[in-house]
Amino acid sequence: MGNGSPGTPVVHGFPHLDTVRSAITALYRRLSPEGVHTYGTSLVPADAAFSDTDDLHLGAQRVARALVQHLRLPDARMVVGFRTMEHAASVELAAGPEYFIELNDRFRTHRRDIGAALAHEITHVLLHRLGLEFPGTRANEILTDTVTAYLGAGWLLLDAFREDAVSRQKLGYLTPEEFGYVLAKRALVFDEDPSPWFTSPQAYTAYTKGRAQALHDLRRPPLTAAGWAGRRRYAKDRRYAQDHPGTVADPTVPYAFETGGTELRVSFPCPTCHQRIRLPVRGRVTARCGLCRTRLECDT
């Protein structure tokens, strides 16, 4: 895990949103909707709690065991050590069942964030076992952060984000707002509100910004919940596509029109899993995503 050095400038906003959405799609494809739904309850704060009076190594092993159980890795054993290193943490991805995790020495005195660092590294182990990876280190780390958050352990990573007049800290590769976005996507699926678990005011603020972006996904045409301006733009684009078949879609809108035989069709991302859905342009229709099986009310 990189990006863990205190004092490093924190990037904000949603620069990795395309990769995050691809990661959610990949997770549903690999686990199936039923598999994703086995993670319906997040890791509870007590399982990651770590006080200054706890024994460092015993406490780290206890939190690691809780994360192993939460991420459903029953036959994986984590051996946690501490050393001086550039990054926040690293894990050796061998065949198992024993995995060696090294945490930055600074966690000896920043124990409240040990759970966050372990959550990311143990998710690496889960993805390794699932055979799920993205090409390139950065994309793969974004995948790991996204899966950690979507499967109920990543709220720890957002809560490790703290910023004040003299110092700042952030763990993981996602921006704080992107962590908030993934956590909000999870919250919408599982009807779960992670906000009471945040001890960092900055984490709560980032979550609310991420949640606004996640709610925006539910209000994009051709979904019937789209706002007036979006619906008007969609109708204009639909007329243009009907009059100019074969034209290239505008990359600034989430939907695209295509001609299949004599019938105009529209494709757009599912607001839950971001798999693209294709529907004939026929007006109001109830559709079901073929991947995550979310029911969608649309006006095509």
Side-chain angles (χ1 to χ4, degrees), residues 13 15 22 61 69 71-72 74 141 144 163 176 184 199 203 214 237 242 250 277:
S22 296
Q61 290 296 147
Q69 289 173 353
L71 291 171
R72 311 199 183 286
E141 292 290 353
T144 304
E163 203 168 27
T199 61
D237 290 342
Q242 287 167 332
D250 183 344
I277 296 167

Side-chain angles (χ1 to χ4, degrees), residues 31-42 69-72 151 186 190:
L31 287 187
S32 80
E34 293 80 9
V36 171
H37 278 262
T38 62
Y39 295 88
T41 304
S42 285
Q69 289 173 353
H70 175 77
L71 291 171
R72 311 199 183 286
L151 295 186
R186 172 187 166 79
F190 294 111

Side-chain angles (χ1 to χ4, degrees), residues 8-210:
T8 304
V10 175
V11 176
H12 287 279
F14 301 93
H16 313 112
L17 206 51
D18 287 345
T19 308
V20 167
R21 287 168 171 163
S22 296
I24 294 173
T25 308
L27 180 64
Y28 272 94
R29 283 181 182 154
R30 180 63 186 85
L31 287 187
S32 80
E34 293 80 9
V36 171
H37 278 262
T38 62
Y39 295 88
T41 304
S42 285
L43 186 82
V44 297
D47 283 345
F50 206 129
S51 77
D52 290 339
T53 58
D54 288 343
D55 178 276
L56 178 66
H57 290 89
L58 289 177
Q61 290 296 147
R62 172 181 57 78
V63 175
R65 276 196 304 273
L67 283 159
V68 164
Q69 289 173 353
H70 175 77
L71 291 171
R72 311 199 183 286
L73 288 163
D75 60 340
R77 296 191 298 274
M78 305 296 153
V79 179
V80 184
F82 297 81
R83 71 173 176 88
T84 303
M85 58 197 297
E86 179 187 354
H87 296 305
S90 65
V91 63
E92 186 181 301
L93 291 175
E98 207 161 58
Y99 297 87
F100 295 89
I101 296 175
E102 292 183 314
L103 301 182
N104 192 298
D105 256 342
R106 67 185 171 83
F107 287 112
R108 291 176 182 272
T109 54
H110 290 80
R111 298 183 180 189
R112 64 187 283 192
D113 297 324
I114 283 177
L118 288 174
H120 178 96
E121 300 308 324
I122 294 171
T123 302
H124 266 305
V125 175
L126 173 66
L127 294 174
H128 176 67
R129 288 189 162 200
L130 291 173
L132 181 56
E133 64 177 322
F134 278 1
T137 300
R138 177 163 290 276
N140 207 48
E141 292 290 353
I142 291 168
L143 168 68
T144 304
D145 278 342
T146 301
V147 171
T148 308
Y150 206 87
L151 295 186
W155 67 268
L156 292 166
L157 284 155
L158 179 53
D159 197 40
F161 167 53
R162 288 183 289 280
E163 203 168 27
D164 57 37
V166 294
S167 66
R168 61 181 71 89
Q169 173 187 276
K170 185 184 80 69
L171 296 179
Y173 283 70
L174 297 186
T175 69
E177 293 79 14
E178 287 168 342
F179 270 121
Y181 172 79
V182 181
L183 291 170
K185 300 287 277 190
R186 172 187 166 79
L188 289 166
V189 170
F190 294 111
D191 192 24
E192 180 186 72
D193 179 11
S195 58
W197 306 329
F198 296 130
T199 61
S200 160
Q202 293 82 20
Y204 179 80
T205 300
Y207 174 69
T208 59
K209 291 179 179 177

